[in-house]
Amino acid sequence: MADIDVLVTGGRLYLDGEIFEASLCVSDGVITHVTTTPGTLSADETVELDGELVLPGLVDGHVHFREPGYEQKEGAASGTAAAAAGGVTTVVEMPNTTPPVLDREGFREKRELFESKSHVDFALFGAITAENLDTGAIAALAEEGATAFKTFMATSFGPLLMDDKGELYRAFEEVAETGRPIYIHAEDQEYLTEFTRRANELGEDLDAFFASRPPVVERTAIADVIEIVRETGAETVVAHVTTAEGLEMIAKARAEGLPIRSEVTSYHLRVDESRLRDVGTRGIGTPPVRTAANREALWQHFENDQVDLLGSDHAPHTLDEKDREPLAVAPGMPQLETALGALLDAVHAGRTTLPAVVRRYAERPARVHGLYPRKGTLQVGADADFVVVDPEREWTVDATAFESEGKYSPFDGWQFTGMPVEVYQRGRKIAEELETLNEPGDGTWVH
Ligand code: NCD
Ligand code: ZN
């Protein structure tokens, strides 16, 4: 009998902010040693690398897989296959499905569905609306294993609007008692209604979309959220922050000691208004991408550590729902198969560093969702989820080849340098060269 199950040698490992040549030993799906002298160990299987990077499997704390209720957009199997292909070995799935995840039963149903269909390990959000406030459902969802909650201050997609600030305040009070975090879609519904009314006059012009959700819609919502966090103490993540000012407000509040964090998407870091004009309505997501100058400022804040988390906000809709006039488009798009590539490409271009990416797209999301150190790290004792990355590999995004049901992308045709070439989950290879190899149901529930 061999000493261990899998030995990964010849790679450069990312461990706690450092990158160094080392071997990884895996037994029973768990990392048992990280060593620079693997010489005497025998393994059932050896993964021989040639200087590639070995990163922790990514932990994406913000994905929408649409099941149950909207299987025409995406499914638990196709969405998690997209995750595997993109190097994301743990996903936390959003609750704006139909029915939404509002109570114990809804949570169990979704858990069972994903247990039978998921390609990667998964955790689940609980939802908060006026319907389940004050009913005991929020505490019950936390008990069931929801790693976080989600609510929407403004219409985006799905049945979860919470546009009454009194109710929002009560939601944060209830969540604070669970000790779990709340993710919030921060746009102000009253301003959104006003600006949408004005934007209607722009008709089919893409500008109608930008005009309907100007930066003030986000900034005012974030200002409200900060005050609610100050009063309630609820652990909070402002999802997909798009404005530099929004990031600054959150970073300042955090520096004052408030338990608030910002999440930014790879989409908002790489795409801006000018690109959206080329892509058209298929590239619409909310809140909007902004100006090139704002995008530049997002990167500066990323480097100054005023961006706490990365998430993909993978959120496919059908092409029929995307090819409409701007104000009628369903917002969101597939992101999982381009997120890491877009970030590696930014690392290659000298925009940021690999540790900065891994901290925000693996370690910190794992911590926020209570999954660390089982997930998000290559420390001994962690699940052996890792991504082999070739940082010099050039590839061209081809959305028609996506594992996701959504075969379109604002990155379609882009050339990236840096590719997740192999993906392992608990010591088993689950994807290679952007193709998923394992079976639905191989993923397990984590919480
Ligand atoms: C998301 C969706 O479609 O579920 N869409 C989006 O544009 N971001 C909802 C959301 O996260 O706002
Ligand atoms: Zn959102």
Side-chain angles (χ1 to χ4, degrees):
M1 226 182 87
D3 298 325
I4 57 170
D5 295 343
V6 186
L7 176 67
V8 185
T9 65
R12 290 177 294 140
L13 255 58
Y14 171 94
L15 186 63
D16 297 336
E18 315 259 345
I19 295 166
F20 53 94
E21 285 174 30
S23 300
L24 208 60
C25 306
V26 179
S27 279
D28 297 325
V30 169
I31 297 169
T32 56
H33 309 268
V34 177
T35 172
T36 49
T37 53
T40 55
L41 284 169
S42 65
D44 285 333
E45 189 193 331
T46 301
V47 179
E48 295 264 12
L49 301 177
D50 187 18
E52 288 92 341
L53 295 160
V54 181
L55 311 182
L58 299 177
V59 179
D60 198 327
H62 187 162
V63 300
H64 303 262
F65 291 149
R66 312 308 195 190
E67 224 183 313
Y70 307 106
E71 290 80 357
Q72 71 280 13
K73 298 176 192 284
E74 183 73 292
S78 58
T80 53
V88 173
T89 51
T90 305
V91 289
V92 192
E93 212 270 334
M94 284 289 178
N96 58 333
T97 38
T98 297
V101 182
L102 286 170
D103 53 24
R104 266 186 209 282
E105 233 163 68
F107 189 91
R108 283 183 196 161
E109 271 167 37
K110 195 180 243 192
R111 195 192 87 202
E112 281 163 21
L113 180 84
F114 274 74
E115 277 174 335
S116 69
K117 294 190 176 181
S118 189
H119 286 267
V120 297
D121 289 355
F122 66 95
L124 298 173
F125 276 87
I128 307 182
T129 65
E131 221 181 294
N132 69 348
L133 271 183
D134 305 324
T135 62
I138 293 166
L141 283 165
E143 253 173 52
E144 279 296 317
T147 58
F149 291 89
K150 174 72 179 282
T151 198
F152 289 84
M153 288 171 80
T155 311
S156 176
F157 170 74
L160 293 179
L161 183 61
M162 177 95 107
D163 58 354
D164 177 301
K165 283 179 195 137
E167 285 171 356
L168 195 66
Y169 193 97
R170 269 156 54 208
F172 276 64
E173 286 179 318
E174 272 202 60
V175 166
E177 280 174 31
T178 67
R180 300 312 318 151
I182 179 164
Y183 276 58
I184 183 140
H185 180 117
E187 289 185 289
D188 185 285
Q189 183 61 43
E190 288 177 18
Y191 285 131
L192 176 57
T193 303
E194 170 59 17
F195 287 107
T196 303
R197 190 183 62 73
R198 297 183 192 191
N200 265 314
E201 284 159 27
L202 297 171
E204 304 209 352
D205 195 315
L206 194 66
D207 277 333
F209 169 61
F210 295 116
S212 70
R213 308 180 103 104
V216 65
V217 175
E218 176 176 285
R219 289 198 310 263
T220 49
I222 290 175
D224 277 329
V225 169
I226 289 169
E227 293 313 313
I228 298 175
V229 174
R230 198 188 303 284
E231 297 303 316
T232 62
E235 188 88 39
T236 301
V237 175
V238 183
H240 46 45
V241 179
T242 68
T243 58
E245 296 82 2
L247 286 178
E248 289 156 18
M249 290 157 74
I250 295 163
K252 180 164 169 283
R254 189 161 174 78
E256 287 167 16
L258 302 190
I260 188 165
R261 291 182 177 84
S262 58
E263 175 201 66
V264 165
T265 74
S266 38
Y267 162 66
H268 291 95
L269 284 169
R270 295 299 315 263
V271 173
D272 56 37
E273 277 181 21
S274 63
R275 171 69 182 165
L276 210 66
R277 286 181 207 285
D278 296 339
V279 174
T281 54
R282 291 185 185 183
I284 284 182
T286 62
V289 295
R290 312 283 182 190
T291 62
N294 178 77
R295 190 166 74 80
E296 181 60 35
L298 294 185
W299 274 116
Q300 274 163 19
H301 291 342
F302 191 91
E303 283 312 285
N304 299 337
D305 211 10
Q306 296 190 28
V307 171
D308 298 301
L309 304 166
L310 282 163
S312 70
D313 191 14
H314 178 87
H317 297 280
T318 64
L319 281 176
D320 175 53
E321 295 161 320
K322 300 300 294 184
D323 295 338
R324 294 181 183 167
E325 60 181 87
L327 295 182
V329 166
M333 69 215 83
Q335 299 282 7
L336 275 164
E337 287 160 274
T338 49
L340 179 56
L343 294 163
L344 291 171
D345 186 61
V347 170
H348 185 264
R351 194 70 265 206
T352 184
T353 64
L354 202 62
V357 170
V358 176
R359 245 180 258 128
R360 290 169 181 81
Y361 205 10
E363 284 172 15
R364 288 180 185 163
R367 284 183 197 274
V368 165
H369 288 279
L371 304 174
Y372 190 91
R374 178 174 173 192
K375 301 296 187 188
T377 173
L378 296 178
Q379 286 173 20
V380 169
D383 282 357
D385 303 342
F386 55 93
V387 188
V388 177
V389 161
D390 181 345
E392 300 300 329
R393 176 75 169 267
E394 295 182 355
W395 58 288
T396 304
V397 176
D398 174 9
T400 63
F402 280 175
E403 300 280 354
S404 170
E405 284 298 320
K407 313 284 185 201
Y408 57 94
S409 167
F411 298 105
D412 205 17
W414 278 24
Q415 185 159 335
F416 287 149
T417 303
M419 185 200 228
V421 284
E422 290 182 8
V423 184
Y424 288 76
Q425 179 129 57
R426 287 174 270 108
R428 278 186 52 214
K429 181 153 56 172
I430 62 167
E432 184 163 1
E433 308 254 333
L434 311 172
E435 263 178 55
T436 301
L437 306 172
N438 71 343
E439 297 298 320
D442 283 350
T444 61
W445 177 48
V446 291
H447 61 104

